[in-house]
Amino acid sequence: QKEVEQNSGPLSVPEGAIASLNCTYSDRGSQSFFWYRQYSGKSPELIMFIYSNGDKEDGRFTAQLNKASQYVSLLIRDSQPSDSATYLCAVNMRGAGSYQLTFGKGTKLSVIP
Amino acid sequence: GAVVSQHPSRVICKSGTSVKIECRSLDFQATTMFWYRQFPKQSLMLMATSNEGSKATYEQGVEKDKFLINHASLTLSTLTVTSAHPEDSSFYICSAREIRTATNEKLFFGSGTQLSVL
């Protein structure tokens, strides 16, 4: 069974702090990794994607990937109350061209003003 | 960015009735659409992959005769929950892949449909 694991949280951080969200995946052959933000009752919104080992930065968001450890993380700098949401880690476990994602259960983030 | 319209956003129905959910790509053509189901505090679970002009591919454990998927055009896929029962109550979300892209970052989600079966 191919899986994506996340700590369900809730993760609480004060406004302005760095929020660190973690995700592990079971399929060593996975090639592409995604972070989605989902507000309650709404559909997921793509925040970041990463394909190569290392860090990828986009504004206040940094995605980190370590394929050897089968680990991907999302850092949110200068966290804002509007960042409070559930963050879903998604992995394409079926290889390039399949476009099918396996989602983790999500980590609920709460940014305290 | 590209827009995927999904409706209805919420539906309440009696047990035994059928419910149709529509997913439209508004400004791009989508050869492939995906249907997910999400129970409270659970992850999105892929139900089926829908390809324009061909039969949908269902994930293991998903009843194809209960969840009918039609992808008749490059901009429209429908999911019909037949003879719905309370255990079918869930949040259903579609996503669409833009035809010209080769990477997952061009996968766009609809706004979701909350189905409640009484």
Side-chain angles (χ1 to χ4, degrees), chain B:
Chain B
V3 176
V4 175
S5 173
Q6 183 177 344
H7 72 91
S9 59
R10 179 177 293 273
V11 59
I12 301 172
C13 68
K14 293 182 179 179
S15 183
T17 60
S18 295
V19 175
K20 179 185 282 188
I21 302 170
E22 290 190 351
C23 181
R24 293 180 183 272
S25 55
L26 296 185
D27 51 2
F28 67 100
Q29 293 180 319
T31 53
T32 304
M33 291 187 176
F34 303 94
W35 287 94
Y36 293 86
R37 180 168 53 182
Q38 186 178 34
F39 292 106
K41 298 185 180 180
Q42 299 295 314
S43 65
L44 278 76
M45 297 299 296
L46 179 65
M47 298 176 65
T49 302
S50 164
N51 293 298
E52 185 266 338
S54 63
K55 290 183 178 180
T57 302
Y58 291 82
E59 295 299 301
Q60 190 174 6
V62 178
E63 300 175 57
K64 62 180 181 180
D65 294 330
K66 181 170 184 62
F67 299 99
L68 302 179
I69 292 174
N70 184 292
H71 193 159
S73 76
L74 287 172
T75 60
L76 174 64
S77 177
T78 61
L79 167 68
T80 301
V81 183
T82 62
S83 186
H85 287 91
E87 59 265 29
D88 298 323
S89 299
S90 185
F91 191 52
Y92 293 85
I93 308 175
C94 70
S95 66
R97 178 174 74 91
E98 192 174 3
I99 194 171
R100 291 189 177 84
T101 61
T103 52
N104 276 356
E105 67 266 32
K106 299 301 182 183
L107 194 65
F108 301 99
F109 282 87
S111 53
T113 298
Q114 183 64 53
L115 172 63
S116 299
V117 184
L118 305 178

Side-chain angles (χ1 to χ4, degrees), chain A residues 7-113:
Chain A
N7 187 323
S8 61
L11 172 66
S12 294
V13 299
E15 184 175 356
I18 296 175
S20 177
L21 305 164
N22 305 315
C23 172
T24 59
Y25 57 95
S26 61
D27 182 10
R28 184 171 289 278
S30 300
Q31 296 295 318
S32 49
F33 308 86
F34 306 84
W35 283 100
Y36 286 86
R37 178 174 62 196
Q38 186 178 25
Y39 293 109
S40 181
K42 304 297 183 182
S43 63
E45 172 191 9
L46 182 65
I47 299 296
M48 292 283 290
F49 59 92
I50 186 167
Y51 298 153
S52 304
N53 277 328
D55 295 358
K56 179 181 179 182
E57 186 175 320
D58 183 2
R60 296 187 295 112
F61 300 96
T62 299
Q64 299 175 317
L65 175 61
N66 183 325
K67 289 186 178 181
S69 300
Q70 295 174 233
Y71 174 92
V72 58
S73 66
L74 178 70
L75 300 178
I76 306 175
R77 290 180 298 281
D78 188 23
S79 296
Q80 301 296 310
S82 59
D83 295 326
S84 298
T86 296
Y87 289 80
L88 303 173
C89 173
V91 179
N92 183 344
M93 291 187 169
R94 303 192 190 188
S98 72
Y99 306 104
Q100 292 176 329
L101 302 181
T102 300
F103 284 83
K105 290 184 178 181
T107 298
K108 186 173 183 179
L109 172 66
S110 179
V111 180
I112 312 300

